[in-house]
């Protein structure tokens, strides 16, 4: 095949260029005569009598001709040897030499190639048939035998029967997808006259090939596509067969479960039947015992009568007989110990309230169990994955995160409105280390304790055709998540692939306060869980900024007396409708409404520059921490001073350097920062609600070996959150109160904490579902950054 590239107008950038593909057509008979026919006998080679043999001179001759040629050469050589023997018989020595030469020639037979006349030596073992076959000719024979067909070459008939180009082969332009005759039609490369054929948007290159070649190519493409379709249909058939097998398995499992369940019910009925039978036998045995005893008494009495009357023949006088008769009359007239009537009756009955029992049983059995199917099509289900940062989804470690939402769709493309589909997930990773798989149970539901740090992947069924996939992992690295519905994978991004994500150490803030009026020195913060409002003490502007939990601006609260001198440093939510603040300049505690109206104020002589506030709403306590490392407890209702936690020894243990910041634990414990610290170790002291020292928690960090103290505290359930300085920024340690271990560290790569002051933590329920056992909580932390005049929100667990 020869390819010719030509440009009609190379100087124009918009001109069309044509690529003409020329092919050579060879006649089948000519091909056979030239390559597949023996030059000696002019017979076509075959695999038996006319097998082609390759001679050392590279010519090919059939084995039939070679056998005949070798035999003729041998006969001529024998005749010549006989004639030479008769003419020189007198010379004995010469005769012996001739005999030796004849023997050697007989051992090595030769003949001449019929084409080039080169001397060919016949193999000693096997003769002519031992010559090597002609592999090239055999390959051509195989090719012709498998692909033997005459190519139909379409020709032009546009000029009529008497046209001078009736044998002109038609051409095909791959670019224009048109068939034309180069004589009748003027195409891009046609020189003669005719009609110009061009597409609506002329391409730059026109590839022209004969129609016969195009037919061959398109036929091959069609066969290839047909094979692809057949392969796809085979895959579909295999999938349907596999589904039929799973259907049989599911049916057998359902029938087995049904048999087991009703066998249990029958066992319960059989046990009750046996109990009633035992009661019947017991009642009958009791009656039988009494009647048997009476029967024995009757037999004894009967024996006595027979014994008394048995010796009547021995009596000699009539008086003795009359006395016996009188005794018998008395026994007949008087009761004889109650043995004349049965002491027990034979009445026994089984009382069954069949009407009530049947109604109860019918209701119970009728409501027991149901056959549930689904029309969900896994191939139509959609998987909505959370927004990713770039090409990979980044999830902080130990943070409960929603990864994807699965929506069930039926075979018609309609969304399902019922749940209960068997959804299974597989987690593979971390891929950087060893691979491990975690899969939930058959129903696809996993329930984790929200207060633990165990790894887990959960599927939450919302009972409306949607399923939420959430996970919390502790090991950093790359992971793959695969989702299966009805045992078949769910496609994502157009293929049946997997969800790639990475668990990272960095925890960036979800959001931060950026819209609305600017803040200046936000030093404290409080949150109202009921109204979902956040109160930020904007000290530099002498106001309290009210935000929602998404840090959107709502309003401001003003109180001139409480904010006097821009010196308010602490805020707490005393109740659903009151706040409490402290002012370190005026040394006062102010209780105000949510609108900023003052309810009451109080002070105490033991307070020296109050710095922060913590509220215990269970015991109605207000804790004030001052600059002298003391913590003062007041009764919120009256402002009465209750106790003070100072640096003196308590219960024989030292409580030195009590920190300025404190927090209230889940059981009203008072948690304060201890001044005792070593390299990589920090301490927290825990007091009871009455100010009695209980214990200390020592937090050890393996990476940070500095001696910086914790600066602020917050609590949420059993977690303690404490800020510490790390190089030029701050991080937040997450501490478990029960295990007293450091669970995680909240550190952001893109938004570092410069100088955190106030903190508050809270939890929110996620993914509202019908089943309360599937409820899960997410834990959030709000931090005020004085250096950045901002409030940041983190999800820390």
């Amino acid at each position: 095949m020869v390819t010719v590239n030509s440009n009609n107008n190379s100087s124009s950038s918009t001109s069309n260029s044509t690529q003409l593909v020329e092919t050579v057509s060879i006649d089948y008979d000519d091909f056979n005569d030239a390559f597949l026919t023996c030059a000696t006998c002019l017979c076509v080679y075959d695999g038996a009598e006319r097998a082609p043999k390759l001679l050392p001179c590279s010519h090919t001759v059939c084995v039939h001709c070679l056998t005949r040629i070798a035999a003729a050469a041998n006969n001529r050589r024998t005749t010549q040897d006989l004639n030479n023997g008769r003419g020189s018989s007198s010379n004995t020595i010469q005769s012996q030499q001739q005999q030796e030469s004849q023997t050697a020639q007989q051992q090595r037979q030769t003949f001449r190639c019929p084409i080039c006349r080169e001397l060919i030596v016949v193999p000693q073992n096997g003769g002519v048939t031992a010559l090597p076959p002609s592999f090239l000719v055999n390959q051509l024979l195989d090719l012709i035998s498998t692909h033997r067909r005459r190519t139909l070459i379409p020709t032009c008939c546009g000029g009529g029967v008497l046209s001078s180009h009736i044998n002109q082969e038609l051409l095909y332009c791959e670019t224009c997808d048109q068939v034309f005759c180069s004589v009748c039609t003027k195409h891009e490369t046609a020189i003669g006259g005719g009609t110009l054929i061009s597409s609506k948007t002329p391409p730059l290159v026109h590839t022209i090939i004969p129609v016969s070649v195009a037919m061959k190519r398109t036929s091959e493409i069609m066969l290839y596509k047909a094979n692809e379709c057949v392969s796809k249909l085979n895959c579909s058939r295999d999938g349907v067969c596999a589904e039929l097998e799973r259907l049989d398995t599911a049916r057998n499992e359902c029938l087995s479960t049904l048999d087991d369940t009703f066998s249990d019910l029958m066992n319960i009925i059989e046990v009750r039947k046996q109990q009633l039978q035992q009661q019947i036998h017991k009642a009958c045995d009791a009656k039988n015992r009494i009647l048997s005893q009476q029967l024995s008494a009757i037999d004894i009495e009967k024996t006595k009568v027979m014994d008394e009357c048995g010796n009547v023949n021995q009596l000699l006088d009539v008086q003795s007989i009359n006395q016996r008769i009188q005794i018998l009359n008395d026994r007949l007239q008087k009761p004889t110990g109650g043995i004349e009537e049965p002491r027990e009756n034979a009445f026994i009955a089984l009382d069954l309230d069949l009407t009530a029992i049947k109604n109860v049983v019918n209701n119970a059995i009728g409501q027991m169990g149901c056959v549930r199917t689904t029309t969900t099509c896994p191939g139509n289900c959609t998987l909505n994955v959370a927004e990713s940062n770039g090409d990979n989804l980044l999830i902080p470690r130990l943070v409960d995160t929603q990864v994807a939402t699965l929506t069930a769709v039926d075979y018609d493309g309609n969304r399902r409105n019922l749940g209960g589909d068997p959804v299974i997930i597989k987690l593979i990773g971390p891929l950087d280390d060893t691979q491990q798989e975690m899969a939930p149970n058959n129903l696809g539901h996993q329930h984790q304790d929200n207060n633990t740090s165990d790894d887990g992947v959960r599927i939450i069924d919302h009972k409306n055709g949607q399923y939420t996939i959430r996970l919390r992992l502790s090991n950093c690295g790359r992971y793959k998540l695969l989702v299966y519905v009805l045992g078949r994978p769910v496609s994502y991004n157009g293929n049946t692939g997997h969800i790639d994500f990475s668990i990272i150490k960095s925890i960036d803030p979800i959001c931060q306060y950026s819209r609305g009026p600017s803040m200046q020195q936000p030093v404290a913060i409080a949150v109202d869980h009921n109204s979902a409002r956040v109160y930020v003490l904007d000290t530099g502007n002498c106001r309290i900024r009210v935000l929602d939990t998404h840090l959107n601006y709502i309003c401001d609260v003003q109180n001139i007396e409480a904010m006097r001198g821009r010196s308010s440093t602490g805020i707490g939510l005393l109740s659903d409708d009151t706040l409490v603040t402290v002012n370190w300049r005026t040394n006062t505690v102010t209780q105000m409404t949510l609108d900023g109206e003052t309810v009451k104020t109080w002070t105490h002589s033991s307070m020296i520059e109050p710095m922060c506030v913590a509220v215990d709403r269970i015991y109605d306590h207000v804790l004030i921490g001052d600059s002298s490392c003391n913590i003062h407890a007041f009764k919120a209702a009256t402002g009465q001073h209750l106790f003070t936690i100072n640096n003196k020894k308590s219960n024989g243990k030292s409580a030195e350097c009590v920190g300025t910041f404190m927090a209230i634990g889940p059981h009203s414990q008072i948690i304060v920062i201890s001044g005792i610290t070593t390299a990589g170790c920090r301490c927290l002291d825990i007091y009871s609600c009455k100010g009695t020292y209980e214990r200390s928690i020592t937090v050890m960090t393996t990476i940070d070996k500095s001696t910086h103290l914790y600066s602020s505290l917050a609590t949420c359930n059993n977690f303690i959150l404490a800020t510490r300085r790390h190089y030029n920024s701050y991080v937040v340690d997450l501490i478990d109160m029960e295990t007293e271990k450091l669970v995680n560290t909240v550190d952001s790569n893109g938004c570092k904490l410069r100088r955190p002051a106030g903190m508050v933590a809270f939890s929110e329920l996620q993914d509202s579902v019908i089943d309360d056992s599937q409820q899960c909580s997410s834990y959030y932390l709000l931090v005020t950054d004085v250096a950045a005049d901002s409030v940041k929100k983190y999800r820390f667990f």
Side-chain angles (χ1 to χ4, degrees), residues 114-260:
I115 300 174
C116 65
R117 307 305 298 171
E118 183 177 344
L119 186 64
I120 306 299
V121 179
V122 179
Q124 296 180 3
N125 298 327
V128 175
T129 57
L131 289 171
S134 179
F135 294 102
L136 179 60
V137 175
N138 287 330
Q139 288 179 348
L140 292 175
L141 287 173
D142 294 339
L143 179 64
I144 292 300
S145 63
T146 55
H147 300 280
R148 185 174 182 178
R149 59 189 176 97
R150 295 183 180 271
T151 304
L152 178 63
I153 301 176
T155 58
C156 178
C157 60
V161 178
L162 300 178
S163 175
S164 60
H165 60 277
I166 190 171
N167 294 326
Q168 180 67 33
E169 184 179 359
L170 295 177
L171 301 178
Y172 173 73
C173 180
E174 291 183 343
T175 306
C176 300
D177 191 19
Q178 292 182 354
V179 178
F180 66 96
C181 174
S182 60
V183 178
C184 297
T185 305
K186 181 181 178 182
H187 202 262
E188 298 296 334
T189 58
I191 300 176
T195 304
L196 179 64
I197 298 177
S198 61
S199 59
K200 296 181 180 179
T201 57
L204 297 178
V205 178
H206 290 264
T207 303
I208 300 174
I209 60 176
V211 172
S212 59
V213 177
M215 292 175 63
K216 182 179 179 180
R217 288 184 180 179
T218 53
S219 299
E220 292 176 352
I221 293 174
M222 181 184 67
L223 292 176
Y224 176 76
K225 294 296 183 181
N227 291 331
E228 282 190 341
C229 292
V230 171
S231 177
K232 187 174 182 180
L233 291 174
N234 289 334
C235 293
S236 300
R237 178 181 176 82
D238 294 340
V240 174
C241 292
E243 202 67 25
L244 287 173
E245 293 179 358
R246 285 195 289 266
L247 180 60
D248 292 337
T249 302
R251 177 176 58 185
N252 294 333
E253 291 178 354
C254 291
L255 291 176
S256 177
T257 303
L258 183 63
D259 292 340
D260 295 340

Side-chain angles (χ1 to χ4, degrees), residues 306-325:
M306 296 302 296
D307 291 341
E308 292 179 354
C309 297
N311 54 359
V312 66
N313 296 326
Q314 298 178 0
L315 296 177
L316 299 178
D317 53 346
V318 177
Q319 293 180 351
S320 298
I321 295 173
N322 290 332
Q323 291 178 358
R324 297 289 179 89
I325 293 173

Side-chain angles (χ1 to χ4, degrees), residues 402 405-406 415 417-420 445 459-470 766-771 774:
Q402 177 178 331
T405 301
L406 174 65
R415 175 181 165 179
N417 55 6
L418 297 176
H445 302 286
I459 297 181
I460 301 175
D461 187 357
H462 297 275
K463 308 298 183 182
N464 59 356
Q466 280 194 339
Y467 306 83
T468 300
I469 302 174
R470 303 185 67 90
Q766 302 292 331
D767 301 309
S768 177
V769 294
I770 299 176
D771 188 1
Q774 299 185 41

Side-chain angles (χ1 to χ4, degrees), residues 304 476 605 619:
K304 291 181 179 180
C476 296
S605 59
Y619 291 93

Side-chain angles (χ1 to χ4, degrees), residues 511-519 551 790-791:
C511 58
Q512 57 181 336
Y513 176 76
S514 57
R515 291 180 293 179
S518 61
M519 293 186 294
L551 302 185
S790 65
V791 180

